[in-house]
Amino acid sequence: SSSSKAYSVYSGTRVLQCTGSAYAGAAGAGIEGGEPQTQVLVLRTRTGTDKGKLIQRILFPTRYSFVLDEQLRVAILILLAYGGVGFSLSIWLMGHDLTSWLYGTFVLSQTLPPLLPAALVIGQSVAADRLRRQHIYCVDLPRILCAAKVRVFLFDKTGTLTKEGLEYYGVQQIAAGQIAGEQQQDMQQLPAHLQIGFAACHAVADLDGQLIGNPVDVEQFRQTGWRIQARRGDAHSLDTLTSPDGRTTAHVVRRFEFEHARQSMAVAVQDAGTGHVHVFVKGSFERIGQLARGGSVPADYDATAAAWARRGCYVLALAHRDLGAADLGDVGRMTRAQLEAGCDLASLLLFRNNLKEDTAQAIAELRRGDTRTVMVTGDTAMTAVYVARECGMVPENSRVLLGESKTPADEIQWTDVDTREPVADIQPYLAELGSDGFPTTELAVGGAAFERLCATGEIGALLPSIRVFARMTPGGKVECAKWHMRYAVTAMCGDGGNDTGALRAAHVGLALSDAEASIVSPFSSSRRSIGACVALLREGRSGLATSFSAFKFLVNYATTMSMLEIVQFYFSVIVPQAVWIMVDSIISVGLLLAVTQARTARRLAASRPTARLLGAHTLASIWGQTAINYAFLYGAMALLFAQGWFRCHEFDSRDIDTSLWWLLGDNYEAEVISIVCLFQFINAAGVYNYGYRYRRAWATNYLLVLVYAACLAVVSAVTLADPNRFGCLFRINCGNTPTVRALGYGAASLDVSDYNSPIGHNVLPRRFRWTLWGLCVANIAVCLAYEKLVVLGPVGRRVKAWWAARHGDRKLRLKL
């Protein structure tokens, strides 16, 4: 339970103070002399401990289903079926001997490139490296692609949206049931009993001159100017405190640590000057208002505290009781309830939780990127709503209705945050829609109200309208994340240990910390800024788009390769060795690497890249390019057969053993197939380099532009140039030296092995070379235009809009 935390010691804890640790043995005896009065019982070890569970979760992360992984199996089966058709055609075209079976196996293997598995992860590897340069670290790479699909981002408040610590704002005194008009900044100007209360009501310790404890307590104590002295020798004193001028000394004789269940802490302090014992109780203003004596609570107490909370203040309250010159032994025997009974409300303690400088900008960028932002905090609802408005999470003029209940069993009471007027039914407010088609009213709920909504099942209907979840426990944050995950891919960003559960439970967790939260979270950042959330989504979307580009490039490679092989088997020819080397090394590996170097878009787009391998967008891109390439290759072969100088069957493969494949390329058919397919292989990289919305402009991928242009230049030179030694490496526009000279080309010795052709060459006429090159350029232009205008451009968008209008848009719409 939460009350036992005050008496729990965790592995690695350094004990600063311990009462009752004397030994029962003789004076001066060591451990052997007797049993210690303070004993520690080991409760959990190994994976039974919290740290053990964290390590276990890291080693065995939560499995989740991603549509890409689900469709990958089907995509592979489709490619296998496509390869099976090529395998059958190869056997049919090449004969039914052993050689044809080997060629068929070769076709089948080409439809599943060995680089295909790497294509789907290379984008996340590139993204992880780019995130690392931005001080965002990932321990679960597949989550990068998941980050690309995030639609809801949950944020903790303190230390995440706001600055690390709370800044002291002032004290507002309460006396005789009346609240002072203005807050007091200087604590040293407060009445003596309040100075003692704020100096003593905390759990701060002084370790070698450094104050250790809760940041709020440390800030409170620092503002008093008091000092913690060494412990007194008597058994009744826990701490001794002295005022800044040294005139006042106080001894802490009882301390009850802060408990989440009670939302308060208490101390009993003896004023050394008067001998009076004072009891101080500090906690949330709601809890202290309930504990304090009714006559000391002002009528406008709740309204005043709520007003401070609406202004962004973290509001605590202090209650006081003077026991007079009580006997310390009697005080030591009193229970906590007895000490706290009859306390008078003494003051409000105010802290400000200011936004980080870039929070509002990051929230605006996420909203522009079609990402809903939600706050999940343990702070008060009023403060949370104020911060949500300040950072732009809630539009400034929006009505906010707050739902609260004292316990999960009680009915939820809805009130207007600004007017504090009760609202009997929230449905009419949610029915008022703005120009965007969403309700103009935002909802906020407390922790108990959230549990009530979960228990009744109403949370499902109200979840898209709830913007702020306040007073949430660590377990409540986990449940909140899980509810959002039912509707959309959800991310969580937090900085503290109480966020670790939600960070781990969400699809994507980003810890703005290098402490324990960063151990369990898939992502962590030392930047301590939610700008890291924007960077994570940008790189995730770019990584997913890059992975799909690499995947489509390799599938295009597979379809083009199978097309090349089927056509060449039809003519019983095989392209030259150098062409295979260029395709399988420089083009497939070099251009694939270049495609992955596309730079990330500077801003988040208002959509997310597809993750569906079998989606209409992906299939239209792949098979559209395949159909265009098929058409141009068959067109080139038809153009060749229409030439007067070309004679069909001039090269007869029946005169050559087909197992000696390198002898089947010295002919016009293999030459034209080589030229057209080389251009198609290269252009696939250019087609899938389009950044669309998630990567930068085509020309900013400098590596690809360089390799793409160089490859096109090389193939163009080989296609258009007269016979030369470089072209003869590819056995394109080449031949035996005497034969080439007889054709009128004054070539020096071409240093080429004898051509396996009756005519001794495959030099294309100049006019046909330019015609063929123009056909290849047209192939490039049509492919680029199809991808740019049809798949990614206005044609594709109109088709998508028409389909959605006719069949309905199944995409879940969320208010940003």
Side-chain angles (χ1 to χ4, degrees):
S1 65
S2 58
S3 61
S4 66
K5 291 183 179 180
Y7 311 102
S8 299
V9 179
Y10 298 94
S11 175
T13 300
R14 182 176 180 182
V15 179
L16 304 179
Q17 186 181 70
C18 185
T19 57
S21 58
Y23 288 93
I31 294 178
E32 297 81 2
E35 291 294 326
Q37 295 178 356
T38 301
Q39 298 182 354
V40 178
L41 175 65
V42 178
L43 300 178
R44 292 181 293 274
T45 62
R46 304 180 69 178
T47 55
T49 65
D50 292 338
K51 286 296 179 72
K53 291 177 181 177
L54 291 181
I55 298 299
Q56 187 179 46
R57 288 170 181 171
I58 293 172
L59 295 176
F60 306 99
T62 304
R63 298 182 63 87
Y64 61 92
S65 178
F66 198 44
V67 65
L68 185 150
D69 301 319
E70 294 174 357
Q71 294 187 351
L72 180 59
R73 301 181 184 90
V74 181
I76 292 177
L77 290 176
I78 292 175
L79 289 175
L80 281 173
Y82 180 81
V85 173
F87 177 82
S88 302
L89 288 174
S90 300
I91 296 175
W92 178 59
L93 293 172
M94 295 292 290
H96 296 78
D97 55 6
L98 178 61
T99 302
S100 65
W101 282 83
L102 294 176
Y103 283 140
T105 304
F106 184 64
V107 173
L108 185 61
S109 65
Q110 289 293 339
T111 58
L112 285 174
L115 291 176
L116 194 60
L120 293 174
V121 298
I122 194 168
Q124 66 191 31
S125 300
V126 173
D129 182 63
R130 291 174 177 173
L131 287 171
R132 192 180 305 111
R133 298 176 198 168
Q134 301 175 63
H135 306 288
I136 303 172
Y137 307 99
C138 177
V139 296
D140 190 358
L141 289 183
R143 301 276 179 155
I144 294 178
L145 300 186
C146 194
K149 303 297 290 183
V150 167
R151 296 200 63 195
V152 177
F153 224 125
L154 309 180
F155 290 95
D156 178 40
K157 181 181 74 67
T158 306
T160 303
L161 298 173
T162 60
K163 294 181 179 178
E164 292 288 339
L166 294 171
E167 299 177 7
Y168 171 72
Y169 191 62
V171 173
Q172 193 166 29
Q173 298 182 52
I174 300 175
Q178 298 294 324
I179 300 178
E182 296 292 335
Q183 80 270 22
Q184 178 70 43
Q185 295 285 346
D186 188 0
M187 281 193 178
Q188 297 182 26
Q189 301 299 320
L190 296 173
H193 72 284
L194 286 182
Q195 290 190 47
I196 294 175
F198 288 124
C201 197
H202 56 74
V204 176
D206 188 332
L207 178 63
D208 299 329
Q210 181 180 3
L211 298 178
I212 305 296
N214 182 282
V216 175
D217 286 350
V218 171
E219 179 68 11
Q220 168 194 318
F221 182 73
R222 186 179 289 115
Q223 292 297 323
T224 65
W226 284 51
R227 297 183 300 276
I228 301 176
Q229 304 295 331
R231 288 181 56 190
R232 295 195 314 177
D234 63 83
H236 294 295
S237 176
L238 300 177
D239 282 320
T240 298
L241 309 167
T242 57
S243 62
D245 57 11
R247 297 179 180 179
T248 304
T249 301
H251 307 294
V252 179
V253 295
R254 295 288 301 277
R255 178 184 290 124
F256 298 94
E257 302 286 351
F258 177 82
E259 295 181 10
H260 283 283
R262 303 176 69 98
Q263 295 185 1
S264 64
M265 71 166 296
V267 293
V269 185
Q270 183 187 49
D271 184 346
T274 63
H276 282 218
V277 175
H278 300 269
V279 176
F280 296 97
V281 184
K282 184 185 72 174
S284 67
F285 70 87
E286 302 99 329
R287 180 60 177 168
I288 300 303
Q290 296 171 1
L291 287 174
R293 189 174 56 85
S296 67
V297 180
D300 59 346
Y301 171 72
D302 287 334
T304 301
W308 282 117
R310 286 197 299 273
R311 293 168 60 181
C313 287
Y314 181 71
V315 185
L316 298 175
L318 184 73
H320 167 251
R321 178 187 178 190
D322 188 349
L323 298 180
D327 180 81
L328 296 184
D330 293 338
V331 173
R333 287 186 290 271
M334 295 177 69
T335 66
R336 180 171 183 172
Q338 291 173 331
L339 286 171
E340 293 179 349
C343 287
D344 291 335
L345 201 58
S347 72
L348 293 175
L349 177 60
L350 307 175
F351 295 88
R352 286 299 295 268
N353 204 192
N354 295 321
L355 286 177
K356 295 178 180 178
E357 289 76 7
D358 61 346
T359 294
Q361 179 182 352
I363 293 294
E365 181 72 10
L366 289 172
R367 289 167 61 90
R368 282 194 297 268
D370 193 38
T371 305
R372 174 175 171 83
T373 54
V374 178
M375 185 186 300
V376 186
T377 178
D379 207 343
T380 62
M382 293 298 183
T383 304
V385 170
Y386 172 83
V387 172
R389 281 176 166 166
E390 282 290 295
C391 70
M393 190 177 290
V394 173
E396 189 172 351
N397 297 323
S398 293
R399 181 191 292 110
V400 179
L401 302 182
L402 172 61
E404 291 183 303
S405 62
K406 292 183 179 180
T407 68
D410 297 327
E411 291 294 327
I412 300 176
Q413 304 298 320
W414 294 95
T415 57
D416 189 306
V417 168
D418 299 307
T419 65
R420 302 300 297 169
E421 294 179 357
V423 176
D425 184 9
I426 64 173
Q427 293 305 323
Y429 293 92
L430 297 180
E432 298 177 5
L433 304 182
S435 58
D436 58 357
F438 291 101
T440 57
T441 299
E442 302 277 5
L443 300 182
V445 296
F450 171 72
E451 293 182 31
R452 171 73 179 179
L453 290 173
C454 292
T456 60
E458 299 177 74
I459 186 65
L462 295 180
L463 190 68
S465 299
I466 302 176
R467 184 71 67 172
V468 174
F469 296 83
R471 290 299 189 195
M472 298 291 283
T473 63
K477 291 183 178 183
V478 173
E479 288 302 314
C480 182
K482 289 182 176 180
W483 271 103
H484 281 90
M485 290 166 66
R486 297 186 184 188
Y487 298 92
V489 178
T490 303
M492 173 70 190
C493 179
D495 73 313
N498 61 344
D499 300 318
T500 54
L503 289 170
R504 191 65 186 176
H507 292 115
V508 176
L510 173 61
L512 303 183
S513 170
D514 52 6
E516 62 182 6
S518 66
I519 299 175
V520 72
S521 177
F523 299 92
S524 61
S525 174
S526 57
R527 289 170 53 181
R528 306 294 178 92
S529 162
I530 67 168
C533 301
V534 179
L536 174 58
L537 263 58
R538 285 195 302 110
E539 296 297 346
R541 293 181 181 185
S542 175
L544 181 57
T546 296
S547 290
F548 264 67
S549 292
F551 174 80
K552 290 189 287 186
F553 172 79
L554 286 178
V555 173
N556 186 280
Y557 162 87
T559 57
T560 305
M561 182 64 76
S562 61
M563 174 184 65
L564 176 152
E565 291 166 345
I566 291 172
V567 173
Q568 71 179 5
F569 292 162
Y570 175 80
F571 293 107
S572 295
V573 300
I574 293 183
V575 300
Q577 299 177 55
V579 174
W580 293 113
I581 295 173
M582 183 172 184
V583 169
D584 287 335
S585 58
I586 298 175
I587 294 178
S588 64
V589 178
L591 284 175
L592 175 63
L593 176 62
V595 165
T596 64
Q597 301 308 304
R599 303 174 71 184
T600 305
R602 290 185 174 88
R603 306 188 71 174
L604 282 176
S607 63
R608 282 155 292 278
T610 181
R612 295 183 178 275
L613 296 175
L614 303 179
H617 186 276
T618 306
L619 296 178
S621 177
I622 293 174
W623 297 112
Q625 296 291 337
T626 300
I628 293 171
N629 287 339
Y630 263 99
F632 273 92
L633 178 58
Y634 292 148
M637 298 306 296
L639 181 65
L640 174 64
F641 275 73
Q643 302 304 307
W645 47 265
F646 176 77
R647 289 183 295 176
C648 184
H649 297 305
E650 184 173 49
F651 171 78
D652 192 350
S653 61
R654 289 176 296 181
D655 297 334
I656 302 174
D657 184 354
T658 54
S659 64
L660 306 176
W661 62 269
W662 56 90
L663 302 179
L664 302 175
D666 297 337
N667 49 77
Y668 291 123
E669 293 94 327
E671 182 178 26
V672 171
I673 295 172
S674 298
I675 292 172
V676 174
C677 289
L678 279 172
F679 276 107
Q680 292 176 350
F681 281 123
I682 297 168
N683 189 52
V687 166
Y688 298 123
N689 185 49
Y690 278 122
Y692 195 28
R693 300 168 181 162
Y694 318 109
R695 299 181 294 170
R696 295 192 198 175
W698 195 95
T700 59
N701 187 346
Y702 303 123
L703 177 61
L704 182 125
V705 170
L706 176 63
V707 179
Y708 180 76
C711 289
L712 287 180
V714 168
V715 178
S716 295
V718 170
T719 303
L720 298 173
D722 289 337
N724 60 81
R725 289 193 175 186
F726 182 70
C728 287
L729 290 176
F730 296 89
R731 300 185 81 83
I732 294 176
N733 286 322
C734 188
N736 299 325
T737 302
T739 306
V740 172
R741 288 175 179 171
L743 292 174
Y745 298 103
S749 175
L750 297 176
D751 192 20
V752 63
S753 57
D754 289 341
Y755 256 60
N756 299 293
S757 170
I759 60 175
H761 73 91
N762 62 352
V763 180
L764 297 170
R766 289 192 178 94
R767 183 180 181 86
F768 183 79
R769 287 183 231 159
W770 282 98
T771 302
L772 182 62
W773 182 81
L775 184 71
C776 293
V777 171
N779 189 175
I780 292 173
V782 171
C783 286
L784 292 173
Y786 172 80
E787 190 73 15
K788 182 69 174 178
L789 301 178
V790 177
V791 178
L792 306 177
V795 177
R797 289 194 291 270
R798 289 182 182 178
V799 171
K800 184 178 180 180
W802 170 82
W803 183 269
R806 183 168 183 176
H807 300 279
D809 189 357
R810 292 180 296 176
K811 177 182 177 182
L812 176 67
R813 296 182 69 243
L814 295 174
K815 183 177 181 181
L816 302 180

